[in-house]
Amino acid sequence: MLKINSLVTSYGSIKALKGIDLEVPAGSIVSLIGANGAGKTTAMKSLVGIIKPQSGTIVFQGQAIQGWPSHKVVGLGVSLVPEGRRILARMSVLENLEMGAYQRQDMEIQADMEKVFSRFPILAERRNQLGGTLSGGQQQMLAIGRALMARPKLLLLDEPSMGLAPLVVAEIFRVIQDINREGTTVLLVEQNVRQALKIAHYAYVLETGKIVLHGTAEEVAHNPRVMEAYLGGAKGMK
Amino acid sequence: MDFILNPYYLQIGMFIMINAILGVSIYLTLATGQLSLGNAGFMSIGAYTSALLTLKAGFPVYLAIPIGGFAAAAVSAVIGFPALRLKGLYLAIATLGFGEVVRVVFLNLKITNGALGLSGIPSLGILLGKALSSAGFDQGMGGLSVQQLSNVSVLLILLILVVFLVFFSLRLSRCRVGRAFAAIKTDETAAEAMGINTTYYKLLAFLLGAFIAGVAGALAAHITFYIGPKDFDYHRTVEILLFAVLGGSNLVWGPILGATLLTMLPEVLRAASDYRMMIYGAILVTMMAFRPQGLISEETLRFWKAKLGRRKEHDLNS
Amino acid sequence: MKLFAMKKVRKMIAGVAVAGLLLSVSGCGSTASAPASGSGSAQSGTIGTAKIGVVSFLTGGGAAYGKAIKQGLEMAKEEVNTQGKVKIDLLFEDSRGEKNEAINAANKLVNKDNVVAIIGPTLSGEMFAVGPIMNQAGVPIMGTSTTAEGITDIGEYVFRNALPESLAIPAAVKKAKEKYNLKKVALMYSNNNDFTVSGYKTFEKAVKDNGLEIVTTETFADKDVDFSAQLTKIASLKPDAVMVSSLYQEGALILKKAREIGIKVPFVGGNGFNSPQLIKIAGPAAEGAIVASPWFPNKEDAAVKKFVSDYKAKYNEIPDQFAAQAYDALKIMATALEKAGSTTDRKKLRDSLAAIKDFQGVTGKFAFDAKRNPVMSATVLIVKDGQFSELK
Amino acid sequence: MFWQQLVNGLTLGSTYSLVALGYTLIMGVLDIVNMAHGEIFMFGAFTGLILASHFHVNIFVAMLGAALVGSLLGIILERVALRPLRRRAVSHLAPLISTIGVSIFLESVALKVFGPESQAFPQTLAGKIYTIGPMQISLVQVVILAVAFGLMLILRFWLARTKIGKALRATAESTETAGILGVNTNLIIVLTVSLASGLGAIAGVLVGLTFNAVEPTMGMSMGLKGLAVLILGGMGNITGAMFGGLILGVAEVFSVAYGASSYRDAVAFGMIILILFVRPQGLFGAKDQTGGR
């Protein structure tokens, strides 16, 4: 579904991505893991056109989309749940969700909205509250719900577990799995490697702008380097 | 030589120097990342203080000018404390407002003669001319009339002042204070976390800027015989800002180049008088689109340094 | 700052050295600013072409005044050049109403273009800055619209043919008092303009001299458009007349608003009221506005009639006093040049200007007094049926 | 006199509000102070004037025409002076200077094209005066108050309820976030600038109509007042712009009525200095946007 080829992105003279290759097959959950500053968020931003990549190609469903503006990428069916959630703090929960469906013209928006509310009942309760007043976990739910409102074919999640309580994290990951089962392809960027590998089918490990390792989640989880660096030693994955 | 000694060019030279001093004043506040648009206000405080001291209290000019600077600095200290809590555009507009308030106050005070302004301010040139005459140069010197001689001397005094200020600013950027300024400019929160007393340094920069603007105002008053509130209005504020922006505000050379170019530009464009403001506006827009960092940036300097070798470097350090 | 001390001294020494160098090199002498010696030889009735510089407010907020002045001057130039013994070449420079620009403009005209005299600048504030420099350089300079007190005190090369308001305003106030039996008046003036503030001071004095009571003094600024607050206040105080020192634009807007909110008393204006534009902008609201002026476009006078009709033909406007005074100024200048017999000698021109007497211009009979101020008489005018007519 | 002065103040204030709305919209979305707004306001006034006096159109048609011209100028402004700066990491000073350049340019073009003289609208609405209790209110005042408040209400509704209005608010909060939600933010920015400019142009017609003077430098002083309102009400705050304008207008008028008229001009800026020291986020600004931009 998504194919990235030797993608290079830089900030001024600093190269943040030094030519990465990555593939997301339709229907799967692919996880991109790595430490802070490895370039994960840069990869996401390059994907959705927030940053213009310097070279390389991004092909989504047979269409080269590198360098496209965000709104066009969204139009193809790619939605991003950004790092830090980026809720529109001065707009209500309802309006945030409406903004998620910004490019849609069909009549099923209301139905999809109800679906989000049934998936996250807390949002239904707070539908008229301002986004900025929600707790971290609720904001994450809203961010995911908002992305789903676009009916994406590919859902990009950038660090959905960041700063959340373990119980909430588990809930979020369960939802991600649900979404995938319902037919949405997922590319998940995580620092919480253990959780990410649990739900992913494939995984890529990003270190200082380069893919150093990739394979099925199983393979990656059992790679000694990964176990050492991300999973806290050999006991990591049982 | 005739060319340089033509009073027309000498006068423009003086305006360039005054504007260069103003450029340095805005550069100093910008060095801490503070955009203050109050320089015209401080300039007017300096100008009026010095003019009134010489006109009404009989102070000698050389004493009145620095006092003008100190008066501006004193006022800046009063408004600086609350004002510097503001950031970015807020500070810019608050200081712009301050300038307007100062103007209206001068417009309404009796001692400043309102809109009529103060005329007959003792002129540096004439004073120097008198001094030269009494020193025995009343026939002029080397084929120069006393008037030319005094004009040249005024220009030289201003030039020395500008050179001193440039030197001062360069020196400053290399010492502790300058590094603190730079740290605040880059990231104020980080600077604070590093233990830099940001309020102190910001206030210092603000005070220095005001002092220099005040001195520039006082000098301007003693060069042009007359000051009125209109000389220090919004347009003047914008003009000073443009020095820094056009020339580049990262290095002290920037505002000086900006002041020089922008003072000369209207004169160069005199032939196209009807279109000159249009050209002026277009230049600004084009500049921002193609070179927003101003004409002189660190890269420019590096480029020229590389080109001129070590000699330039040496000059800058001397 | 201690560490600079040594270096400062060194810099200063260097500075002085550079100065010395400059001076010694310049031994070749410089005559750029000195006028070329006069060629008094008059051949076949003409004495050649005189270059006269004009510093005027041609672009920016006050360009309307600069424009009128320019048109007045150009009309006069054409007439002088077709009939006079002396030919005149006018060089216009814009000051944008800024004193620094005015200084530069005047300096350029004198030192680069080598003009024999300067007409302008437009604003008194500009004159206070330019006058001393020109006086020092020995260049005659004549203001056509600089009415502020003390202008000619600058020096003996500074002239003006603008009727000081100290002559015009008292005449208007006195006449209005007699005519309308005034007891208490309100004063209004624009407080950010030297010209109107000066006019206000004259009004205040004239009003007091006439024993009138001032109920309130309200101010505004040039380019203000909303006068409702001041006028509402004035209306509530019910004065017998309102005295306004402003430029015509604000004057017209004040009249309009005043009539709209029902102030029906006479308005006495300063010099700024004396413009056809006042009537044009204010329309019927201008009826009853009183002003004293040397310039009266409907005067029964052949020269005035010719000037008005020529001006109208050329510019499709009725000349205002700025145009009229500028027109006269150049004619005065031409007369002085003829008498001086030189088109380049500034000293001679100054002396012959100072001696001008019994000059008959469109603004009436004119002479310079000992202080180079105009001696002329003012007519008190009132707007009636959309026209200025004499208030008798 | 109090009531009459209140009407005067509200009339003046509503023009300030309309001008300030333009600043606020652009400030909110782009975080830029558009220094050329006053000149667009002035071009609007001239467009209205030309339409009304040469083509003898109805005053509302004149406003519409002015709004169109204003919007067009806004689009050009965005293309020429703002967009080239947006792609690069430039300081927040650059757009300030760039728009100052545009303002100088437009003012001198106007001086060249329209001439320096002040011109008046044909007397279409003037003359009619209604007396309500202690107040006298002219038809022009009624029109300006109605149009100003009407436009402000429409704008509020539009921003709160329509899809594009919401997209505009989203872009105002974060261009990046709006982009990943599928909003064509460049288009929204152009739309905002042209909308703000259109409003400014209508304000120009209204001011020209009320005070009967249209001249090339009218943009400058009005622009400064608009800036004052921007601070007073809170930057980027629509409610703030509306009430800030009214408050400033009333304060100015009352300073004349009950104080010294010569300090009237200091009132605007005195107020904003006070506000900035006491409540930097402005009267209506939210706490989270305190001066620390």
Coordinates of all heavy atoms in Angstrom, one line a residue, chain C residues 141-204:
Chain C
I141 N 15.9 83.2 0.8 CA 14.9 82.2 0.8 C 13.6 82.8 1.2 O 13.5 83.7 2.1 CB 15.3 81.0 1.8 CG1 14.2 80.0 1.8 CG2 15.6 81.6 3.2 CD1 14.6 78.7 2.5
M142 N 12.5 82.5 0.4 CA 11.3 83.2 0.7 C 10.2 82.1 0.8 O 9.9 81.3 0.0 CB 10.9 84.1 -0.5 CG 9.6 84.8 -0.4 SD 9.5 86.4 -1.1 CE 9.3 86.1 -2.8
G143 N 9.5 82.2 2.0 CA 8.4 81.3 2.3 C 7.1 81.9 1.7 O 6.9 83.1 1.9
T144 N 6.3 81.1 1.1 CA 5.0 81.6 0.6 C 3.9 81.2 1.5 O 2.7 81.6 1.3 CB 4.8 81.1 -0.8 OG1 4.5 79.7 -0.7 CG2 5.9 81.4 -1.7
S145 N 4.1 80.3 2.4 CA 3.0 79.8 3.3 C 3.5 79.6 4.7 O 2.8 79.0 5.5 CB 2.6 78.5 2.7 OG 3.7 77.6 2.6
T146 N 4.6 80.2 5.0 CA 5.2 80.0 6.4 C 4.7 81.2 7.3 O 5.3 82.2 7.3 CB 6.7 79.9 6.4 OG1 7.1 81.0 5.5 CG2 7.1 78.6 5.8
T147 N 3.7 80.9 8.0 CA 3.0 82.1 8.7 C 3.4 82.2 10.2 O 3.0 83.1 10.9 CB 1.5 81.9 8.6 OG1 1.2 80.6 9.0 CG2 1.0 82.2 7.2
A148 N 4.2 81.2 10.7 CA 4.4 81.2 12.1 C 5.2 82.4 12.6 O 6.0 83.0 11.8 CB 5.2 79.9 12.5
E149 N 5.1 82.7 13.8 CA 5.8 83.9 14.4 C 7.3 83.6 14.4 O 7.7 82.4 14.6 CB 5.4 84.1 15.9 CG 4.0 84.7 16.0 CD 4.0 86.1 15.4 OE1 4.9 86.9 15.6 OE2 3.0 86.4 14.7
G150 N 8.1 84.6 14.1 CA 9.6 84.4 14.3 C 10.3 83.9 13.1 O 11.5 83.7 13.2
I151 N 9.6 83.6 12.0 CA 10.3 83.1 10.8 C 11.4 84.0 10.4 O 12.5 83.5 10.2 CB 9.2 82.8 9.7 CG1 8.3 81.7 10.0 CG2 10.0 82.6 8.4 CD1 8.8 80.3 9.7
T152 N 11.1 85.2 10.2 CA 12.1 86.1 9.6 C 13.2 86.5 10.6 O 14.2 87.1 10.3 CB 11.5 87.3 9.0 OG1 10.6 87.9 10.0 CG2 10.7 87.0 7.8
D153 N 13.0 86.1 11.9 CA 14.0 86.4 12.9 C 15.2 85.5 12.6 O 16.3 85.7 13.2 CB 13.5 86.2 14.3 CG 12.4 87.1 14.7 OD1 12.3 88.2 14.0 OD2 11.6 86.8 15.6
I154 N 15.1 84.5 11.8 CA 16.2 83.6 11.5 C 17.4 84.3 11.0 O 18.5 84.1 11.4 CB 15.7 82.5 10.5 CG1 14.7 81.6 11.2 CG2 16.9 81.7 10.1 CD1 14.0 80.7 10.2
G155 N 17.1 85.3 10.1 CA 18.3 86.0 9.6 C 17.9 86.9 8.4 O 16.7 86.8 7.9
E156 N 18.8 87.7 7.9 CA 18.5 88.7 6.9 C 18.3 88.1 5.5 O 17.9 88.9 4.7 CB 19.5 89.8 6.9 CG 20.9 89.3 6.7 CD 21.9 90.4 6.6 OE1 21.5 91.6 6.8 OE2 23.1 90.2 6.3
Y157 N 18.5 86.9 5.3 CA 18.3 86.3 4.0 C 16.9 85.6 3.9 O 16.5 85.1 2.9 CB 19.4 85.3 3.7 CG 20.6 85.9 3.1 CD1 21.6 86.4 3.9 CD2 20.7 86.1 1.7 CE1 22.7 87.0 3.4 CE2 21.9 86.7 1.2 CZ 22.9 87.2 2.0 OH 23.9 87.8 1.5
V158 N 16.2 85.7 5.1 CA 14.9 84.9 5.1 C 13.8 85.9 4.9 O 13.6 86.9 5.7 CB 14.8 84.2 6.5 CG1 13.4 83.4 6.5 CG2 15.9 83.2 6.6
F159 N 13.0 85.6 3.9 CA 11.8 86.5 3.6 C 10.5 85.7 3.6 O 10.6 84.4 3.6 CB 11.9 87.0 2.2 CG 13.1 88.0 2.0 CD1 14.4 87.5 1.8 CD2 12.9 89.3 2.0 CE1 15.4 88.3 1.6 CE2 14.0 90.2 1.8 CZ 15.3 89.7 1.6
R160 N 9.4 86.3 3.7 CA 8.2 85.6 3.4 C 7.1 86.6 2.8 O 7.1 87.8 3.2 CB 7.6 85.0 4.7 CG 7.2 86.0 5.7 CD 6.4 85.2 6.8 NE 6.5 85.9 8.1 CZ 6.2 85.3 9.2 NH1 5.7 84.1 9.2 NH2 6.3 85.9 10.3
N161 N 6.3 86.1 2.0 CA 5.2 86.9 1.5 C 3.9 86.3 2.0 O 2.8 86.8 1.6 CB 5.2 87.1 0.0 CG 4.7 85.9 -0.7 OD1 4.8 84.8 -0.3 ND2 4.0 86.1 -1.9
A162 N 4.0 85.3 2.9 CA 2.8 84.8 3.4 C 2.2 85.8 4.5 O 3.0 86.2 5.3 CB 3.0 83.5 4.1
L163 N 1.0 86.1 4.4 CA 0.4 87.1 5.3 C 0.4 86.5 6.7 O -0.2 85.5 6.9 CB -1.0 87.5 4.9 CG -1.7 88.5 5.8 CD1 -1.1 89.8 5.6 CD2 -3.2 88.5 5.6
P164 N 1.1 87.1 7.6 CA 1.1 86.5 9.0 C -0.3 86.6 9.5 O -1.0 87.5 9.3 CB 2.1 87.3 9.8 CG 2.8 88.2 8.8 CD 1.9 88.3 7.6
E165 N -0.7 85.6 10.2 CA -2.0 85.6 10.8 C -2.2 86.7 11.8 O -3.4 87.0 12.1 CB -2.4 84.2 11.3 CG -2.3 83.1 10.2 CD -3.1 81.9 10.6 OE1 -2.8 81.3 11.6 OE2 -4.0 81.6 9.9
S166 N -1.1 87.2 12.3 CA -1.3 88.3 13.3 C -1.9 89.5 12.6 O -2.4 90.4 13.3 CB 0.1 88.6 13.8 OG 1.0 88.8 12.8
L167 N -1.9 89.5 11.3 CA -2.6 90.6 10.6 C -4.0 90.2 10.3 O -5.0 91.0 10.4 CB -1.9 91.0 9.3 CG -0.6 91.7 9.4 CD1 0.1 91.9 8.1 CD2 -0.8 93.1 10.1
A168 N -4.2 89.0 9.8 CA -5.5 88.6 9.3 C -6.5 88.3 10.3 O -7.6 88.8 10.3 CB -5.3 87.4 8.4
I169 N -6.1 87.5 11.3 CA -7.1 87.0 12.3 C -7.8 88.2 13.1 O -9.0 88.2 13.2 CB -6.5 85.9 13.2 CG1 -6.3 84.7 12.3 CG2 -7.3 85.6 14.4 CD1 -5.5 83.6 12.9
P170 N -7.0 89.1 13.7 CA -7.6 90.2 14.4 C -8.7 90.9 13.6 O -9.7 91.3 14.1 CB -6.5 91.1 14.8 CG -5.3 90.2 14.8 CD -5.5 89.2 13.7
A171 N -8.4 91.1 12.3 CA -9.3 91.8 11.5 C -10.6 91.0 11.4 O -11.7 91.6 11.5 CB -8.7 92.0 10.1
A172 N -10.5 89.7 11.2 CA -11.7 88.9 11.1 C -12.5 88.9 12.4 O -13.7 89.0 12.4 CB -11.3 87.5 10.7
V173 N -11.8 88.7 13.5 CA -12.5 88.7 14.8 C -13.2 90.0 15.1 O -14.4 90.0 15.5 CB -11.5 88.4 15.9 CG1 -12.1 88.5 17.3 CG2 -10.8 87.0 15.7
K174 N -12.5 91.1 14.8 CA -13.1 92.4 15.1 C -14.4 92.6 14.2 O -15.5 92.9 14.7 CB -12.1 93.5 14.7 CG -12.5 94.8 15.2 CD -11.2 95.7 15.3 CE -11.6 97.1 15.7 NZ -11.9 97.9 14.5
K175 N -14.3 92.3 13.0 CA -15.4 92.4 12.1 C -16.6 91.6 12.5 O -17.7 92.0 12.5 CB -15.0 92.0 10.7 CG -15.9 92.5 9.6 CD -15.5 93.9 9.1 CE -16.3 94.3 7.9 NZ -15.7 95.5 7.3
A176 N -16.3 90.3 12.8 CA -17.3 89.4 13.2 C -18.0 89.9 14.5 O -19.2 89.8 14.6 CB -16.8 88.0 13.4
K177 N -17.2 90.4 15.4 CA -17.8 90.9 16.7 C -18.8 92.0 16.4 O -19.9 92.0 16.9 CB -16.7 91.3 17.6 CG -17.2 91.7 19.0 CD -16.1 92.5 19.7 CE -16.8 93.2 20.9 NZ -16.0 94.2 21.5
E178 N -18.3 93.0 15.6 CA -19.2 94.1 15.3 C -20.4 93.7 14.6 O -21.5 94.1 14.9 CB -18.4 95.1 14.4 CG -17.3 95.8 15.1 CD -16.4 96.5 14.1 OE1 -16.6 96.4 12.9 OE2 -15.4 97.1 14.6
K179 N -20.3 92.8 13.7 CA -21.4 92.4 12.8 C -22.4 91.5 13.6 O -23.6 91.7 13.4 CB -20.8 91.6 11.6 CG -21.8 91.2 10.6 CD -21.9 92.2 9.5 CE -23.0 91.8 8.5 NZ -23.4 92.9 7.6
Y180 N -21.9 90.6 14.4 CA -22.9 89.6 15.0 C -23.0 89.9 16.5 O -23.6 89.0 17.2 CB -22.4 88.2 14.7 CG -22.4 87.9 13.2 CD1 -21.3 87.9 12.5 CD2 -23.6 87.5 12.6 CE1 -21.3 87.6 11.1 CE2 -23.7 87.2 11.3 CZ -22.5 87.3 10.5 OH -22.5 87.0 9.2
N181 N -22.4 90.9 17.0 CA -22.6 91.3 18.4 C -22.2 90.1 19.3 O -23.0 89.6 20.1 CB -24.0 91.7 18.6 CG -24.2 92.3 20.0 OD1 -23.1 92.8 20.6 ND2 -25.4 92.3 20.6
L182 N -21.0 89.6 19.1 CA -20.6 88.4 19.8 C -20.2 88.8 21.3 O -19.7 89.8 21.6 CB -19.3 87.8 19.1 CG -19.4 87.5 17.7 CD1 -18.0 87.0 17.2 CD2 -20.5 86.5 17.4
K183 N -20.6 87.8 22.1 CA -20.2 87.9 23.6 C -19.3 86.8 24.0 O -18.3 87.0 24.6 CB -21.5 87.9 24.4 CG -22.4 89.0 24.2 CD -22.1 90.2 25.1 CE -23.1 91.3 25.0 NZ -23.2 91.8 23.6
K184 N -19.7 85.6 23.7 CA -18.8 84.4 24.1 C -18.6 83.5 22.9 O -19.5 83.3 22.1 CB -19.5 83.7 25.3 CG -20.9 83.3 25.0 CD -21.5 82.6 26.2 CE -22.9 82.0 25.9 NZ -23.4 81.1 26.9
V185 N -17.4 83.0 22.8 CA -17.0 82.2 21.7 C -16.3 80.9 22.1 O -15.9 80.8 23.3 CB -16.1 83.0 20.7 CG1 -16.7 84.2 20.2 CG2 -14.8 83.3 21.5
A186 N -16.3 80.0 21.2 CA -15.6 78.7 21.5 C -14.4 78.7 20.5 O -14.5 79.2 19.4 CB -16.5 77.5 21.3
L187 N -13.3 78.2 20.9 CA -12.1 78.1 20.1 C -11.8 76.6 19.7 O -12.0 75.7 20.6 CB -10.9 78.7 20.9 CG -10.4 80.0 20.4 CD1 -11.5 81.1 20.5 CD2 -9.3 80.5 21.3
M188 N -11.4 76.4 18.5 CA -11.0 75.1 18.1 C -9.7 75.2 17.3 O -9.6 76.1 16.5 CB -12.0 74.4 17.2 CG -13.3 73.9 17.9 SD -14.4 73.1 16.7 CE -13.8 71.4 16.7
Y189 N -8.8 74.3 17.5 CA -7.6 74.3 16.6 C -7.0 72.9 16.5 O -7.2 72.1 17.4 CB -6.6 75.3 17.1 CG -5.9 75.0 18.4 CD1 -4.6 74.5 18.4 CD2 -6.5 75.2 19.6 CE1 -3.9 74.2 19.6 CE2 -5.9 74.9 20.8 CZ -4.6 74.4 20.8 OH -3.9 74.1 21.9
S190 N -6.2 72.8 15.5 CA -5.5 71.5 15.3 C -4.2 71.7 16.0 O -3.4 72.6 15.8 CB -5.2 71.3 13.8 OG -4.2 70.3 13.6
N191 N -3.9 70.8 17.0 CA -2.8 71.0 17.8 C -1.5 70.3 17.4 O -0.5 70.4 18.1 CB -3.1 70.7 19.3 CG -3.1 69.2 19.5 OD1 -3.3 68.4 18.6 ND2 -2.9 68.8 20.8
N192 N -1.5 69.7 16.3 CA -0.2 69.0 15.9 C 0.4 69.7 14.6 O 1.2 69.1 14.0 CB -0.4 67.5 15.7 CG -1.2 67.2 14.5 OD1 -1.9 68.0 14.0 ND2 -1.1 65.9 14.1
N193 N 0.0 70.9 14.4 CA 0.4 71.6 13.2 C 0.9 73.0 13.6 O 0.2 73.8 14.3 CB -0.7 71.7 12.2 CG -0.3 72.3 10.9 OD1 0.4 73.3 11.0 ND2 -0.8 71.8 9.9
D194 N 2.2 73.3 13.3 CA 2.7 74.6 13.8 C 1.9 75.8 13.3 O 1.6 76.7 14.0 CB 4.2 74.7 13.4 CG 4.4 74.3 11.9 OD1 3.4 74.3 11.1 OD2 5.5 73.9 11.6
F195 N 1.4 75.6 12.0 CA 0.7 76.7 11.4 C -0.6 77.0 12.2 O -0.9 78.1 12.5 CB 0.4 76.3 10.0 CG -0.6 77.0 9.2 CD1 -0.4 78.3 8.8 CD2 -1.9 76.4 9.0 CE1 -1.4 79.0 8.1 CE2 -2.9 77.1 8.3 CZ -2.6 78.4 7.9
T196 N -1.3 75.9 12.5 CA -2.6 76.2 13.1 C -2.5 76.5 14.6 O -3.3 77.3 15.1 CB -3.5 74.9 13.0 OG1 -2.8 73.8 13.5 CG2 -3.9 74.6 11.5
V197 N -1.4 76.0 15.2 CA -1.2 76.4 16.6 C -0.9 77.9 16.7 O -1.4 78.6 17.6 CB -0.1 75.6 17.3 CG1 0.2 76.1 18.6 CG2 -0.5 74.1 17.3
S198 N -0.1 78.3 15.8 CA 0.3 79.7 15.7 C -1.0 80.5 15.5 O -1.2 81.6 16.2 CB 1.3 79.9 14.6 OG 1.5 81.3 14.4
G199 N -1.8 80.1 14.6 CA -3.1 80.8 14.3 C -4.0 80.8 15.6 O -4.6 81.8 15.9
Y200 N -4.0 79.7 16.3 CA -4.8 79.7 17.5 C -4.3 80.7 18.5 O -5.2 81.4 19.1 CB -4.7 78.3 18.2 CG -4.9 78.2 19.6 CD1 -6.2 78.5 20.1 CD2 -3.9 78.0 20.5 CE1 -6.5 78.5 21.5 CE2 -4.1 78.0 21.9 CZ -5.4 78.3 22.4 OH -5.6 78.3 23.7
K201 N -3.0 80.8 18.7 CA -2.5 81.8 19.6 C -2.9 83.2 19.3 O -3.3 84.0 20.1 CB -1.0 81.7 19.7 CG -0.6 80.4 20.4 CD 0.9 80.4 20.8 CE 1.1 79.2 21.7 NZ 2.5 78.8 21.7
T202 N -2.9 83.5 18.0 CA -3.4 84.8 17.5 C -4.8 85.0 17.8 O -5.3 86.1 18.2 CB -3.1 84.9 16.0 OG1 -1.8 84.4 15.7 CG2 -3.2 86.3 15.5
F203 N -5.6 83.9 17.5 CA -7.1 84.0 17.8 C -7.3 84.3 19.3 O -8.1 85.2 19.6 CB -7.7 82.6 17.5 CG -8.4 82.6 16.2 CD1 -8.1 81.6 15.2 CD2 -9.5 83.4 15.9 CE1 -8.7 81.6 14.0 CE2 -10.1 83.4 14.7 CZ -9.8 82.4 13.8
E204 N -6.6 83.6 20.1 CA -6.8 83.7 21.6 C -6.6 85.2 22.0 O -7.3 85.8 22.7 CB -5.8 82.8 22.3 CG -6.2 82.6 23.8 CD -5.2 81.8 24.5 OE1 -4.0 81.7 24.0 OE2 -5.5 81.2 25.5

